[in-house]
Amino acid sequence: MTTFPANAAPLLSAHRLAFSRNDEPVFGPLDFSLGAGETLLVEGDNGSGKTTLLRVLAGMLPVGEGEIRFDGEPASRDTRNGRVLWLGHRTGMNESLSARENVDFLAGLYGRRDDMSATEAMQRVGIEAWIDEPLRTLSAGQKKRVGLARLLLLPGDVWLLDEPYANLDRHGIDLVNALIAEHCAGGGAALVTSHGAVRFADQNARHIHLVA
């Protein structure tokens, strides 16, 4: 089992974090931290605020109350840059471009890991047969695998994964669990949302349960 310095600041931490919409509380206040090698599972029914929480952590929505820190520093564009990777329900990629063109474009914007090419990332997630097909021609599960390849290719130690098992078969679910385990073993961390823990393999993960 890989160990990491106990005195290091958490990769991600939140203190009294809360969010409201139209003066109605969506979630919070929450306190949690995520260190190197750790996974945190956020569970809850639809409408409990799981996706909203991840969007706030990613900087896609403003903090309502409380604070977020990365490596002990207040969250900002700079502290998130190159640190945070998001995988949501939508690909966030150009449907007219191929999988290869999409991930190469993103790598040109955000950089790429030294030990990974676009082709290698596609092979790792089992999408190499469709690497040059327009994204719009792929199934929902194949598009999810392209999103997983993006996680492998782009730099970032904090993965924010919103329902990563959706649209995947049993083999895809096993793949997600393997990728999370490898990422955390290498010093990364992952925050994962799910309707339930049945698909989540890491028995040592901490849990947060949100209530609608």
Side-chain angles (χ1 to χ4, degrees), residues 66-106:
E67 69 170 356
I68 303 167
R69 289 179 173 266
F70 290 92
D71 272 341
E73 298 294 327
S76 66
R77 182 185 297 272
D78 288 340
T79 55
R80 287 186 177 94
N81 190 32
R83 302 291 311 280
V84 178
L85 288 177
W86 160 275
L87 179 64
H89 296 282
R90 297 182 179 180
T91 64
M93 291 182 274
N94 190 324
E95 294 273 321
S96 297
L97 298 180
S98 70
R100 187 200 304 270
E101 290 169 330
N102 268 290
V103 296
D104 277 341
F105 174 76
L106 292 170

mmCIF file of all heavy atoms in Angstrom, residues 66-106:
data_model
loop_
_atom_site.group_PDB
_atom_site.id
_atom_site.type_symbol
_atom_site.label_atom_id
_atom_site.label_comp_id
_atom_site.label_asym_id
_atom_site.label_seq_id
_atom_site.Cartn_x
_atom_site.Cartn_y
_atom_site.Cartn_z
ATOM 1 N N GLY A 66 -18.846 29.620 3.129
ATOM 2 C CA GLY A 66 -17.701 28.796 3.466
ATOM 3 C C GLY A 66 -16.540 29.003 2.511
ATOM 4 O O GLY A 66 -16.494 29.989 1.762
ATOM 5 N N GLU A 67 -15.596 28.058 2.528
ATOM 6 C CA GLU A 67 -14.428 28.200 1.672
ATOM 7 C C GLU A 67 -13.931 26.861 1.163
ATOM 8 O O GLU A 67 -14.194 25.815 1.745
ATOM 9 C CB GLU A 67 -13.293 28.918 2.402
ATOM 10 C CG GLU A 67 -12.668 28.126 3.527
ATOM 11 C CD GLU A 67 -11.396 28.773 4.070
ATOM 12 O OE1 GLU A 67 -10.973 29.801 3.518
ATOM 13 O OE2 GLU A 67 -10.850 28.235 5.038
ATOM 14 N N ILE A 68 -13.210 26.925 0.043
ATOM 15 C CA ILE A 68 -12.554 25.768 -0.575
ATOM 16 C C ILE A 68 -11.072 26.085 -0.658
ATOM 17 O O ILE A 68 -10.686 27.208 -0.986
ATOM 18 C CB ILE A 68 -13.104 25.511 -1.987
ATOM 19 C CG1 ILE A 68 -14.621 25.307 -1.961
ATOM 20 C CG2 ILE A 68 -12.411 24.305 -2.625
ATOM 21 C CD1 ILE A 68 -15.256 25.352 -3.341
ATOM 22 N N ARG A 69 -10.232 25.094 -0.385
ATOM 23 C CA ARG A 69 -8.783 25.264 -0.497
ATOM 24 C C ARG A 69 -8.175 24.122 -1.301
ATOM 25 O O ARG A 69 -8.636 22.990 -1.211
ATOM 26 C CB ARG A 69 -8.121 25.327 0.887
ATOM 27 C CG ARG A 69 -8.427 26.610 1.652
ATOM 28 C CD ARG A 69 -7.774 26.646 3.029
ATOM 29 N NE ARG A 69 -7.957 27.947 3.653
ATOM 30 C CZ ARG A 69 -7.078 28.939 3.595
ATOM 31 N NH1 ARG A 69 -5.919 28.751 2.948
ATOM 32 N NH2 ARG A 69 -7.314 30.093 4.164
ATOM 33 N N PHE A 70 -7.144 24.447 -2.065
ATOM 34 C CA PHE A 70 -6.342 23.471 -2.780
ATOM 35 C C PHE A 70 -4.914 23.581 -2.268
ATOM 36 O O PHE A 70 -4.312 24.655 -2.309
ATOM 37 C CB PHE A 70 -6.392 23.717 -4.284
ATOM 38 C CG PHE A 70 -7.724 23.410 -4.907
ATOM 39 C CD1 PHE A 70 -8.694 24.386 -5.046
ATOM 40 C CD2 PHE A 70 -8.022 22.119 -5.335
ATOM 41 C CE1 PHE A 70 -9.927 24.107 -5.603
ATOM 42 C CE2 PHE A 70 -9.243 21.822 -5.897
ATOM 43 C CZ PHE A 70 -10.208 22.813 -6.037
ATOM 44 N N ASP A 71 -4.381 22.465 -1.755
ATOM 45 C CA ASP A 71 -3.049 22.465 -1.138
ATOM 46 C C ASP A 71 -2.923 23.558 -0.082
ATOM 47 O O ASP A 71 -1.870 24.183 0.072
ATOM 48 C CB ASP A 71 -1.956 22.652 -2.198
ATOM 49 C CG ASP A 71 -1.498 21.332 -2.791
ATOM 50 O OD1 ASP A 71 -1.733 20.287 -2.155
ATOM 51 O OD2 ASP A 71 -0.913 21.348 -3.885
ATOM 52 N N GLY A 72 -3.989 23.815 0.639
ATOM 53 C CA GLY A 72 -3.978 24.807 1.701
ATOM 54 C C GLY A 72 -4.184 26.239 1.250
ATOM 55 O O GLY A 72 -4.291 27.138 2.090
ATOM 56 N N GLU A 73 -4.255 26.476 -0.066
ATOM 57 C CA GLU A 73 -4.433 27.829 -0.589
ATOM 58 C C GLU A 73 -5.887 28.044 -0.989
ATOM 59 O O GLU A 73 -6.532 27.141 -1.522
ATOM 60 C CB GLU A 73 -3.532 28.056 -1.808
ATOM 61 C CG GLU A 73 -2.041 27.943 -1.514
ATOM 62 C CD GLU A 73 -1.565 29.059 -0.595
ATOM 63 O OE1 GLU A 73 -2.108 30.182 -0.688
ATOM 64 O OE2 GLU A 73 -0.663 28.804 0.218
ATOM 65 N N PRO A 74 -6.439 29.251 -0.746
ATOM 66 C CA PRO A 74 -7.825 29.517 -1.129
ATOM 67 C C PRO A 74 -8.068 29.226 -2.604
ATOM 68 O O PRO A 74 -7.224 29.512 -3.460
ATOM 69 C CB PRO A 74 -7.993 31.012 -0.822
ATOM 70 C CG PRO A 74 -6.984 31.292 0.248
ATOM 71 C CD PRO A 74 -5.816 30.413 -0.065
ATOM 72 N N ALA A 75 -9.208 28.643 -2.899
ATOM 73 C CA ALA A 75 -9.532 28.259 -4.273
ATOM 74 C C ALA A 75 -9.602 29.484 -5.170
ATOM 75 O O ALA A 75 -10.172 30.518 -4.818
ATOM 76 C CB ALA A 75 -10.865 27.523 -4.304
ATOM 77 N N SER A 76 -9.002 29.356 -6.339
ATOM 78 C CA SER A 76 -9.015 30.411 -7.346
ATOM 79 C C SER A 76 -8.740 29.752 -8.690
ATOM 80 O O SER A 76 -8.471 28.551 -8.767
ATOM 81 C CB SER A 76 -7.934 31.457 -7.050
ATOM 82 O OG SER A 76 -6.643 30.899 -7.185
ATOM 83 N N ARG A 77 -8.796 30.546 -9.748
ATOM 84 C CA ARG A 77 -8.467 29.999 -11.062
ATOM 85 C C ARG A 77 -7.047 29.435 -11.067
ATOM 86 O O ARG A 77 -6.779 28.373 -11.626
ATOM 87 C CB ARG A 77 -8.602 31.089 -12.128
ATOM 88 C CG ARG A 77 -8.320 30.586 -13.548
ATOM 89 C CD ARG A 77 -8.352 31.738 -14.536
ATOM 90 N NE ARG A 77 -9.646 32.352 -14.605
ATOM 91 C CZ ARG A 77 -10.618 31.958 -15.420
ATOM 92 N NH1 ARG A 77 -10.419 30.929 -16.228
ATOM 93 N NH2 ARG A 77 -11.782 32.568 -15.425
ATOM 94 N N ASP A 78 -6.120 30.147 -10.422
ATOM 95 C CA ASP A 78 -4.724 29.702 -10.413
ATOM 96 C C ASP A 78 -4.532 28.419 -9.626
ATOM 97 O O ASP A 78 -3.782 27.526 -10.049
ATOM 98 C CB ASP A 78 -3.821 30.797 -9.837
ATOM 99 C CG ASP A 78 -3.656 31.977 -10.783
ATOM 100 O OD1 ASP A 78 -3.906 31.801 -11.994
ATOM 101 O OD2 ASP A 78 -3.301 33.072 -10.316
ATOM 102 N N THR A 79 -5.179 28.301 -8.457
ATOM 103 C CA THR A 79 -4.984 27.099 -7.648
ATOM 104 C C THR A 79 -5.674 25.889 -8.268
ATOM 105 O O THR A 79 -5.292 24.747 -7.992
ATOM 106 C CB THR A 79 -5.489 27.298 -6.207
ATOM 107 O OG1 THR A 79 -6.869 27.723 -6.232
ATOM 108 C CG2 THR A 79 -4.661 28.341 -5.474
ATOM 109 N N ARG A 80 -6.700 26.110 -9.089
ATOM 110 C CA ARG A 80 -7.362 24.996 -9.778
ATOM 111 C C ARG A 80 -6.653 24.621 -11.070
ATOM 112 O O ARG A 80 -6.732 23.484 -11.520
ATOM 113 C CB ARG A 80 -8.812 25.362 -10.108
ATOM 114 C CG ARG A 80 -9.766 25.401 -8.921
ATOM 115 C CD ARG A 80 -11.187 25.623 -9.410
ATOM 116 N NE ARG A 80 -12.158 25.596 -8.335
ATOM 117 C CZ ARG A 80 -12.596 26.669 -7.695
ATOM 118 N NH1 ARG A 80 -12.112 27.868 -8.021
ATOM 119 N NH2 ARG A 80 -13.481 26.561 -6.723
ATOM 120 N N ASN A 81 -5.985 25.601 -11.696
ATOM 121 C CA ASN A 81 -5.410 25.387 -13.023
ATOM 122 C C ASN A 81 -4.410 24.229 -13.024
ATOM 123 O O ASN A 81 -3.433 24.230 -12.273
ATOM 124 C CB ASN A 81 -4.717 26.665 -13.497
ATOM 125 C CG ASN A 81 -4.304 26.593 -14.950
ATOM 126 O OD1 ASN A 81 -4.964 25.960 -15.761
ATOM 127 N ND2 ASN A 81 -3.203 27.236 -15.282
ATOM 128 N N GLY A 82 -4.663 23.242 -13.881
ATOM 129 C CA GLY A 82 -3.779 22.095 -13.967
ATOM 130 C C GLY A 82 -3.912 21.113 -12.826
ATOM 131 O O GLY A 82 -3.183 20.122 -12.765
ATOM 132 N N ARG A 83 -4.853 21.374 -11.912
ATOM 133 C CA ARG A 83 -5.022 20.523 -10.737
ATOM 134 C C ARG A 83 -6.307 19.697 -10.805
ATOM 135 O O ARG A 83 -6.346 18.573 -10.316
ATOM 136 C CB ARG A 83 -5.102 21.385 -9.456
ATOM 137 C CG ARG A 83 -3.912 22.282 -9.201
ATOM 138 C CD ARG A 83 -2.690 21.476 -8.860
ATOM 139 N NE ARG A 83 -2.971 20.494 -7.829
ATOM 140 C CZ ARG A 83 -3.029 20.776 -6.530
ATOM 141 N NH1 ARG A 83 -2.833 22.017 -6.096
ATOM 142 N NH2 ARG A 83 -3.246 19.821 -5.642
ATOM 143 N N VAL A 84 -7.356 20.285 -11.374
ATOM 144 C CA VAL A 84 -8.691 19.699 -11.282
ATOM 145 C C VAL A 84 -9.162 19.224 -12.658
ATOM 146 O O VAL A 84 -9.071 19.953 -13.646
ATOM 147 C CB VAL A 84 -9.706 20.716 -10.723
ATOM 148 C CG1 VAL A 84 -11.103 20.111 -10.668
ATOM 149 C CG2 VAL A 84 -9.275 21.192 -9.348
ATOM 150 N N LEU A 85 -9.655 17.995 -12.720
ATOM 151 C CA LEU A 85 -10.275 17.461 -13.924
ATOM 152 C C LEU A 85 -11.705 17.051 -13.603
ATOM 153 O O LEU A 85 -11.957 16.404 -12.578
ATOM 154 C CB LEU A 85 -9.493 16.261 -14.461
ATOM 155 C CG LEU A 85 -8.140 16.558 -15.108
ATOM 156 C CD1 LEU A 85 -7.462 15.263 -15.520
ATOM 157 C CD2 LEU A 85 -8.303 17.476 -16.308
ATOM 158 N N TRP A 86 -12.618 17.431 -14.479
ATOM 159 C CA TRP A 86 -14.043 17.200 -14.278
ATOM 160 C C TRP A 86 -14.558 16.191 -15.303
ATOM 161 O O TRP A 86 -14.231 16.279 -16.491
ATOM 162 C CB TRP A 86 -14.771 18.535 -14.422
ATOM 163 C CG TRP A 86 -16.237 18.458 -14.707
ATOM 164 C CD1 TRP A 86 -16.819 18.327 -15.940
ATOM 165 C CD2 TRP A 86 -17.309 18.528 -13.769
ATOM 166 N NE1 TRP A 86 -18.181 18.304 -15.812
ATOM 167 C CE2 TRP A 86 -18.511 18.423 -14.490
ATOM 168 C CE3 TRP A 86 -17.347 18.667 -12.371
ATOM 169 C CZ2 TRP A 86 -19.750 18.451 -13.879
ATOM 170 C CZ3 TRP A 86 -18.589 18.693 -11.767
ATOM 171 C CH2 TRP A 86 -19.770 18.597 -12.500
ATOM 172 N N LEU A 87 -15.352 15.237 -14.851
ATOM 173 C CA LEU A 87 -16.067 14.330 -15.747
ATOM 174 C C LEU A 87 -17.526 14.360 -15.339
ATOM 175 O O LEU A 87 -17.884 13.897 -14.254
ATOM 176 C CB LEU A 87 -15.512 12.910 -15.653
ATOM 177 C CG LEU A 87 -16.212 11.866 -16.536
ATOM 178 C CD1 LEU A 87 -16.021 12.187 -18.021
ATOM 179 C CD2 LEU A 87 -15.715 10.460 -16.236
ATOM 180 N N GLY A 88 -18.366 14.937 -16.208
ATOM 181 C CA GLY A 88 -19.775 15.078 -15.892
ATOM 182 C C GLY A 88 -20.657 14.229 -16.789
ATOM 183 O O GLY A 88 -20.196 13.337 -17.508
ATOM 184 N N HIS A 89 -21.953 14.527 -16.766
ATOM 185 C CA HIS A 89 -22.910 13.764 -17.567
ATOM 186 C C HIS A 89 -22.709 14.025 -19.055
ATOM 187 O O HIS A 89 -22.941 13.147 -19.880
ATOM 188 C CB HIS A 89 -24.336 14.139 -17.163
ATOM 189 C CG HIS A 89 -24.669 13.770 -15.748
ATOM 190 N ND1 HIS A 89 -24.982 12.484 -15.369
ATOM 191 C CD2 HIS A 89 -24.729 14.513 -14.619
ATOM 192 C CE1 HIS A 89 -25.235 12.445 -14.068
ATOM 193 N NE2 HIS A 89 -25.087 13.656 -13.594
ATOM 194 N N ARG A 90 -22.298 15.225 -19.401
ATOM 195 C CA ARG A 90 -22.043 15.567 -20.798
ATOM 196 C C ARG A 90 -20.542 15.561 -21.046
ATOM 197 O O ARG A 90 -19.744 15.825 -20.162
ATOM 198 C CB ARG A 90 -22.624 16.942 -21.120
ATOM 199 C CG ARG A 90 -24.151 17.000 -20.966
ATOM 200 C CD ARG A 90 -24.693 18.359 -21.342
ATOM 201 N NE ARG A 90 -26.150 18.411 -21.220
ATOM 202 C CZ ARG A 90 -26.871 19.488 -21.479
ATOM 203 N NH1 ARG A 90 -26.276 20.603 -21.880
ATOM 204 N NH2 ARG A 90 -28.185 19.461 -21.346
ATOM 205 N N THR A 91 -20.171 15.299 -22.291
ATOM 206 C CA THR A 91 -18.749 15.178 -22.606
ATOM 207 C C THR A 91 -18.023 16.512 -22.539
ATOM 208 O O THR A 91 -16.828 16.549 -22.238
ATOM 209 C CB THR A 91 -18.557 14.599 -24.012
ATOM 210 O OG1 THR A 91 -19.086 15.514 -24.994
ATOM 211 C CG2 THR A 91 -19.253 13.253 -24.149
ATOM 212 N N GLY A 92 -18.718 17.610 -22.862
ATOM 213 C CA GLY A 92 -18.048 18.908 -22.933
ATOM 214 C C GLY A 92 -17.104 18.995 -24.117
ATOM 215 O O GLY A 92 -16.202 19.836 -24.137
ATOM 216 N N MET A 93 -17.306 18.119 -25.117
ATOM 217 C CA MET A 93 -16.444 18.091 -26.288
ATOM 218 C C MET A 93 -17.258 18.347 -27.544
ATOM 219 O O MET A 93 -18.492 18.315 -27.529
ATOM 220 C CB MET A 93 -15.698 16.750 -26.361
ATOM 221 C CG MET A 93 -14.664 16.578 -25.259
ATOM 222 S SD MET A 93 -13.721 15.026 -25.354
ATOM 223 C CE MET A 93 -14.829 13.927 -24.476
ATOM 224 N N ASN A 94 -16.571 18.612 -28.657
ATOM 225 C CA ASN A 94 -17.201 18.932 -29.935
ATOM 226 C C ASN A 94 -17.686 17.652 -30.600
ATOM 227 O O ASN A 94 -16.885 16.795 -30.971
ATOM 228 C CB ASN A 94 -16.194 19.668 -30.827
ATOM 229 C CG ASN A 94 -16.839 20.240 -32.080
ATOM 230 O OD1 ASN A 94 -17.748 19.652 -32.658
ATOM 231 N ND2 ASN A 94 -16.362 21.402 -32.499
ATOM 232 N N GLU A 95 -19.005 17.527 -30.776
ATOM 233 C CA GLU A 95 -19.586 16.310 -31.322
ATOM 234 C C GLU A 95 -19.222 16.090 -32.789
ATOM 235 O O GLU A 95 -19.322 14.973 -33.294
ATOM 236 C CB GLU A 95 -21.113 16.367 -31.177
ATOM 237 C CG GLU A 95 -21.613 16.352 -29.745
ATOM 238 C CD GLU A 95 -21.776 14.939 -29.213
ATOM 239 O OE1 GLU A 95 -22.228 14.063 -29.958
ATOM 240 O OE2 GLU A 95 -21.434 14.715 -28.035
ATOM 241 N N SER A 96 -18.812 17.157 -33.494
ATOM 242 C CA SER A 96 -18.462 17.021 -34.908
ATOM 243 C C SER A 96 -17.034 16.527 -35.111
ATOM 244 O O SER A 96 -16.677 16.068 -36.203
ATOM 245 C CB SER A 96 -18.648 18.355 -35.632
ATOM 246 O OG SER A 96 -19.998 18.759 -35.614
ATOM 247 N N LEU A 97 -16.208 16.638 -34.083
ATOM 248 C CA LEU A 97 -14.823 16.192 -34.171
ATOM 249 C C LEU A 97 -14.700 14.741 -33.707
ATOM 250 O O LEU A 97 -15.554 14.239 -32.979
ATOM 251 C CB LEU A 97 -13.926 17.079 -33.314
ATOM 252 C CG LEU A 97 -13.848 18.565 -33.683
ATOM 253 C CD1 LEU A 97 -12.919 19.298 -32.730
ATOM 254 C CD2 LEU A 97 -13.398 18.751 -35.128
ATOM 255 N N SER A 98 -13.633 14.113 -34.119
ATOM 256 C CA SER A 98 -13.381 12.739 -33.680
ATOM 257 C C SER A 98 -12.891 12.731 -32.233
ATOM 258 O O SER A 98 -12.522 13.777 -31.670
ATOM 259 C CB SER A 98 -12.339 12.079 -34.574
ATOM 260 O OG SER A 98 -11.057 12.658 -34.359
ATOM 261 N N ALA A 99 -12.878 11.537 -31.652
ATOM 262 C CA ALA A 99 -12.359 11.402 -30.292
ATOM 263 C C ALA A 99 -10.910 11.872 -30.231
ATOM 264 O O ALA A 99 -10.518 12.603 -29.318
ATOM 265 C CB ALA A 99 -12.463 9.946 -29.847
ATOM 266 N N ARG A 100 -10.090 11.465 -31.219
ATOM 267 C CA ARG A 100 -8.691 11.866 -31.233
ATOM 268 C C ARG A 100 -8.554 13.389 -31.346
ATOM 269 O O ARG A 100 -7.762 14.003 -30.623
ATOM 270 C CB ARG A 100 -7.965 11.210 -32.402
ATOM 271 C CG ARG A 100 -6.448 11.447 -32.395
ATOM 272 C CD ARG A 100 -5.848 11.214 -33.773
ATOM 273 N NE ARG A 100 -6.135 9.905 -34.316
ATOM 274 C CZ ARG A 100 -5.367 8.842 -34.120
ATOM 275 N NH1 ARG A 100 -4.287 8.928 -33.367
ATOM 276 N NH2 ARG A 100 -5.687 7.683 -34.685
ATOM 277 N N GLU A 101 -9.328 13.992 -32.244
ATOM 278 C CA GLU A 101 -9.252 15.444 -32.429
ATOM 279 C C GLU A 101 -9.666 16.182 -31.165
ATOM 280 O O GLU A 101 -9.060 17.198 -30.801
ATOM 281 C CB GLU A 101 -10.128 15.861 -33.603
ATOM 282 C CG GLU A 101 -9.592 15.428 -34.955
ATOM 283 C CD GLU A 101 -10.592 15.622 -36.071
ATOM 284 O OE1 GLU A 101 -11.824 15.543 -35.805
ATOM 285 O OE2 GLU A 101 -10.164 15.831 -37.219
ATOM 286 N N ASN A 102 -10.677 15.682 -30.477
ATOM 287 C CA ASN A 102 -11.133 16.330 -29.248
ATOM 288 C C ASN A 102 -10.071 16.297 -28.159
ATOM 289 O O ASN A 102 -9.756 17.326 -27.555
ATOM 290 C CB ASN A 102 -12.417 15.661 -28.745
ATOM 291 C CG ASN A 102 -13.673 16.328 -29.259
ATOM 292 O OD1 ASN A 102 -13.996 17.442 -28.868
ATOM 293 N ND2 ASN A 102 -14.376 15.638 -30.144
ATOM 294 N N VAL A 103 -9.510 15.120 -27.907
ATOM 295 C CA VAL A 103 -8.546 15.039 -26.810
ATOM 296 C C VAL A 103 -7.235 15.736 -27.167
ATOM 297 O O VAL A 103 -6.578 16.319 -26.297
ATOM 298 C CB VAL A 103 -8.297 13.575 -26.370
ATOM 299 C CG1 VAL A 103 -9.577 12.963 -25.800
ATOM 300 C CG2 VAL A 103 -7.764 12.731 -27.502
ATOM 301 N N ASP A 104 -6.853 15.705 -28.454
ATOM 302 C CA ASP A 104 -5.651 16.437 -28.866
ATOM 303 C C ASP A 104 -5.850 17.944 -28.694
ATOM 304 O O ASP A 104 -4.929 18.661 -28.276
ATOM 305 C CB ASP A 104 -5.302 16.120 -30.320
ATOM 306 C CG ASP A 104 -4.513 14.830 -30.475
ATOM 307 O OD1 ASP A 104 -3.922 14.370 -29.469
ATOM 308 O OD2 ASP A 104 -4.475 14.277 -31.588
ATOM 309 N N PHE A 105 -7.039 18.437 -29.021
ATOM 310 C CA PHE A 105 -7.337 19.861 -28.847
ATOM 311 C C PHE A 105 -7.253 20.249 -27.368
ATOM 312 O O PHE A 105 -6.637 21.265 -27.012
ATOM 313 C CB PHE A 105 -8.726 20.173 -29.395
ATOM 314 C CG PHE A 105 -9.180 21.585 -29.133
ATOM 315 C CD1 PHE A 105 -8.680 22.641 -29.879
ATOM 316 C CD2 PHE A 105 -10.100 21.858 -28.126
ATOM 317 C CE1 PHE A 105 -9.091 23.947 -29.636
ATOM 318 C CE2 PHE A 105 -10.511 23.151 -27.878
ATOM 319 C CZ PHE A 105 -10.013 24.207 -28.631
ATOM 320 N N LEU A 106 -7.841 19.434 -26.501
ATOM 321 C CA LEU A 106 -7.814 19.732 -25.070
ATOM 322 C C LEU A 106 -6.389 19.667 -24.519
ATOM 323 O O LEU A 106 -6.003 20.480 -23.678
ATOM 324 C CB LEU A 106 -8.720 18.764 -24.317
ATOM 325 C CG LEU A 106 -10.216 18.926 -24.591
ATOM 326 C CD1 LEU A 106 -10.999 17.770 -23.992
ATOM 327 C CD2 LEU A 106 -10.724 20.257 -24.054
#
